[in-house]
Amino acid sequence: MRSWPDMAALDLLVGVADDGSLSAAARSVGMAQPNATRSIARLERRLGLVLLHRSTHGSTLTASGLLVVEWARAVMSAAGQLLDGAASLADGAAGTFVVTASQTVAEHLLPRWLASLRASWPGTRIEVRVGNSTGTVDEVHRGVCDLGFIEGPCPPPGLHSLVVARDDLVLVVPPGHPWAGRRHPVGMEELAGTPLVRREPGSGTRSALDAALGRPAIGLLDLPSNAAVRVSVQSGTGPAVLSGLAVRDAVAAGALVEVPTTLDLRRDLRAVWSGPRVLQGPAADLVRLALAGTGTGPAMDPRPDDQSFG
C-alpha cells in the first residue's frame, strides 16, 4: 500500500514559500523550530527529494521544492474541501456560499473579509476556490461560484462588476542584482526588453503588466503562483513584477529589493458576478466588507461598473 506524506509537513512546506523561511512558517503554524526541521527532513526522506537549501542564513526552497509546493497546494485545498464538506454534513449547515478569487486577493485580502462575513452568516458554509483571474471569470460565467474577485485592467464582458480595491504592482530583484542599487527608475523600453520571471497566462498580474508595457513581457520563466515567482526571484533567477501585497514582507525583510519604474502599474481589483444585477445575501455583504476594508478613502468610487448592489 502507498504511504502518504504527512499533511502537517506539506502545510509547513507551503508555509516556507508563503512566509519566506522555515522559521516563519513554523511560527505561523505554532510549531517549534526543531520540530519543523525534523518534519521537513522526514518529508524529504519520504519523497526522496531535497526540498530546502539549508545555510547559516536560513532555508530556501530548491527547484524541486518549488514544484512540490505547487502540488501540495492542490492537496491542501482538496483536504480543506473534504473537512469543510464533512463539517457541513455534521452540522446540517443551512446553505453554501461559494467564492472564487484570484491569488493576490485570496492570499492577502479575502481572509480578513471572510472573517467578518462569518460573524453575520454563522449558519452558512463558505467555500473558497483559488485560481487566476481568467479561471475565476470562467467559473462565474458557468455558475460554479456565487461571487468572484479578479485583478485586471478592464471589467470582464458579460458580467456585473465593481471595483472594491486597488493594488500597485512593483518591480523586484534580489539584493545582489545590478538593479538593486540603481538611482534612476527603470523605463518602459528597458523593462520590455528584459526577460522576467512571470506569472502564468491568464493571471491578472500578467495581464496588467502586459497592458502597462503595451506588449507581452519577455518571459524568462513562467510560474503558477505569487509565492513561486517570489521565491524564484529571491533565488536569483531574474527580476519580476508582482503585487506589492505579495512582496511587502520580503522587501521589508531585505530578501527582495523594490526597484522604481516609470510605468503606471496600478490596477483595479474587482468583484464579479452573474445573474441578477442587484446582489443579495452573503454576496452583497462580502462586497460591502471588501469596500469598507480597502483603506482607499474618499477616492474610492462606490458605484459598481454597471449597477448598484443590494
Side-chain angles (χ1 to χ4, degrees), residues 90-300:
D91 296 340
T96 301
F97 173 56
V98 182
V99 184
T100 301
S102 60
Q103 286 191 21
T104 299
V105 176
E107 292 172 0
H108 303 284
L109 297 173
L110 189 60
R112 184 173 67 250
W113 302 341
L114 290 179
S116 298
L117 184 69
R118 288 182 186 278
S120 301
W121 296 86
T124 299
R125 187 173 76 89
I126 301 172
E127 178 181 332
V128 177
R129 299 168 177 262
V130 182
N132 60 31
S133 291
T134 297
T136 297
V137 168
D138 178 64
E139 290 204 351
V140 174
H141 272 300
R142 292 189 291 114
V144 175
C145 63
D146 301 296
L147 184 69
F149 290 97
I150 63 170
E151 317 146 24
C154 301
L159 295 177
H160 312 303
S161 63
L162 168 66
V163 174
V164 297
R166 294 195 172 98
D167 178 36
D168 291 320
L169 299 180
V170 296
L171 173 62
V172 290
V173 297
H177 191 276
W179 285 356
R182 66 183 293 160
R183 299 181 181 274
H184 56 280
V186 174
M188 179 184 295
E189 291 304 320
E190 185 177 7
L191 189 60
T194 301
L196 303 174
V197 182
R198 307 180 301 182
R199 283 288 308 278
E200 80 287 359
S203 75
T205 299
R206 173 84 166 262
S207 298
L209 173 60
D210 291 348
L213 291 174
R215 72 198 83 170
I218 298 175
L220 179 63
L221 177 66
D222 291 353
L223 293 169
S225 73
N226 290 332
V229 174
R230 186 179 66 239
V231 173
S232 182
V233 176
Q234 289 176 209
S235 300
T237 304
V241 173
L242 281 175
S243 164
L245 295 170
V247 299
R248 178 174 52 199
D249 292 345
V251 170
L256 291 175
V257 176
E258 181 178 340
V259 182
T261 77
T262 61
L263 281 74
D264 179 7
L265 293 173
R266 198 179 196 203
R267 60 176 178 173
D268 293 329
L269 307 179
R270 288 182 171 84
V272 293
W273 66 96
S274 60
R277 293 167 62 87
V278 178
L279 282 172
Q280 301 288 340
D285 283 355
L286 183 55
V287 169
R288 289 193 187 96
L289 289 165
L291 286 169
T294 58
T296 54
M300 172 61 68

Side-chain angles (χ1 to χ4, degrees), residues 70-89:
E70 297 311 312
W71 295 328
R73 288 186 193 279
V75 172
M76 301 308 295
S77 176
Q81 291 178 25
L82 184 153
L83 293 175
D84 288 345
S88 176
L89 292 173

Side-chain angles (χ1 to χ4, degrees), residues 34-78:
N35 293 340
T37 300
R38 286 192 290 269
S39 180
I40 293 297
R42 285 194 297 269
L43 180 63
E44 289 179 318
R45 290 194 297 271
R46 171 67 190 85
L47 299 178
L49 297 169
V50 177
L51 303 175
L52 295 181
H53 290 300
R54 295 166 174 83
S55 72
T56 56
H57 302 292
S59 299
T60 58
L61 289 163
T62 64
S64 295
L66 282 170
L67 289 173
V68 173
V69 162
E70 297 311 312
W71 295 328
R73 288 186 193 279
V75 172
M76 301 308 295
S77 176

